[in-house]
Amino acid sequence: MNKPKYLYKSEESFKVFEFTSEGSKGEIRKLVQFSETGTENVYNLAFGDFDENTQEINDFSVTNNGDSQKVLTTVASTVYAFIDKHPEAMIFATGSTNARTRLYRIGITNNLTEISKDFVVFGLMKNGNHWEHFTVGVEYEAFLISKKENI
Amino acid sequence: MKTIDKLNNSKIPVITFNKKLEQFREVVLFPEKLEKANEILSKVGIPENLKR
């Protein structure tokens, strides 16, 4: 993906990343985490603003820093980095709100050709009872991404 | 060591490490999101194509 993104840093297991969003609201530190779930090889992707004062994460806030696309592209890049380190991993992602989930769907749609070169993407149907291959124009509740070799 | 061409064409940028991030490695920073993920996964599982 050659779209604009922030430089980011990680720790050695590539499960936690950080970068700084820069925009009209100033500099905001963002953390991305891939957490093990109860399902083998499935990791939950989440990211949010880190408040230096409270030392807490907020993934519900609407930062409105004017760089949402750049933030999403940066987070997408961390997925590549994480899976490069953990090739058998499946990445689960959903938004903290319906609007956020829709934003992720739009991001996947806009980059589907590029993503599909290396990954397979599944969407969880809105009734929440089965996965299907990601289809443009369909509303999903969550997403699951894995390297194509894992099928 | 990767050649310049490989680095330029890589989808993964050159990553620098921050040792301070290690403090978060074993901490669940987004417990509600993880709980929601586990609820969904326990109900639906993973796609058949990905099961081994």
Side-chain angles (χ1 to χ4, degrees):
Chain A
M1 287 186 174
N2 292 320
K3 296 182 179 178
K5 54 182 171 285
Y6 290 108
L7 288 175
Y8 52 81
K9 295 182 180 180
S10 181
E11 42 77 37
E12 289 185 357
S13 72
F14 284 52
K15 290 180 181 175
V16 183
F17 296 80
E18 68 169 356
F19 62 94
T20 301
S21 156
E22 297 169 354
S24 55
K25 297 284 174 69
E27 292 189 349
I28 296 163
R29 187 182 179 198
K30 303 249 185 208
L31 291 186
V32 182
Q33 187 177 42
F34 295 85
S35 303
E36 289 185 30
T37 67
T39 304
E40 187 181 3
N41 286 331
V42 179
Y43 292 79
N44 181 61
L45 164 63
F47 64 97
D49 298 350
F50 185 78
D51 188 320
E52 302 285 356
N53 295 325
T54 64
Q55 294 286 296
E56 288 178 355
I57 291 275
N58 185 345
D59 63 342
F60 282 90
S61 66
V62 179
T63 316
N64 275 336
N65 216 12
D67 62 345
S68 59
Q69 284 306 309
K70 195 171 179 180
V71 167
L72 278 183
T73 303
T74 306
V75 174
S77 182
T78 68
V79 172
Y80 278 86
F82 176 81
I83 288 187
D84 191 60
K85 185 82 169 175
H86 306 272
E88 295 191 352
M90 294 166 267
I91 308 301
F92 178 98
T94 187
S96 46
T97 62
N98 289 337
R100 290 261 169 92
T101 303
R102 186 168 178 274
L103 196 63
Y104 302 162
R105 178 175 70 83
I106 292 170
I108 292 171
T109 297
N110 289 342
N111 297 283
L112 191 58
T113 304
E114 182 71 25
I115 293 169
S116 297
K117 288 178 184 174
D118 302 300
F119 302 110
V120 59
V121 184
F122 294 91
L124 180 66
M125 298 303 291
K126 271 288 189 182
N127 57 19
N129 65 5
H130 74 275
W131 297 97
E132 69 169 28
H133 280 280
F134 183 91
T135 304
V136 174
V138 177
E139 294 272 349
Y140 294 113
E141 190 177 322
F143 310 98
L144 196 69
I145 296 169
S146 184
K147 287 192 81 169
K148 287 171 120 168
E149 295 91 270
N150 292 334
I151 291 185
Chain B
M1 180 168 282
K2 289 186 176 181
T3 64
I4 295 293
D5 284 340
K6 280 185 180 175
L7 284 171
N8 285 339
N9 294 325
S10 175
K11 290 171 183 171
I12 304 164
V14 175
I15 297 171
T16 55
F17 292 106
N18 181 357
K19 281 192 100 49
K20 289 183 182 176
L21 290 176
E22 287 177 13
Q23 65 178 298
F24 299 121
R25 192 190 304 174
E26 303 302 329
V27 174
V28 177
L29 295 170
F30 306 90
E32 292 172 3
K33 293 286 289 289
L34 183 58
E35 186 180 340
K36 183 179 177 183
N38 278 325
E39 273 177 24
I40 291 173
L41 289 165
S42 65
K43 190 172 76 167
V44 187
I46 62 174
E48 285 296 321
N49 316 52
L50 290 174
K51 290 180 184 173
R52 299 198 170 177

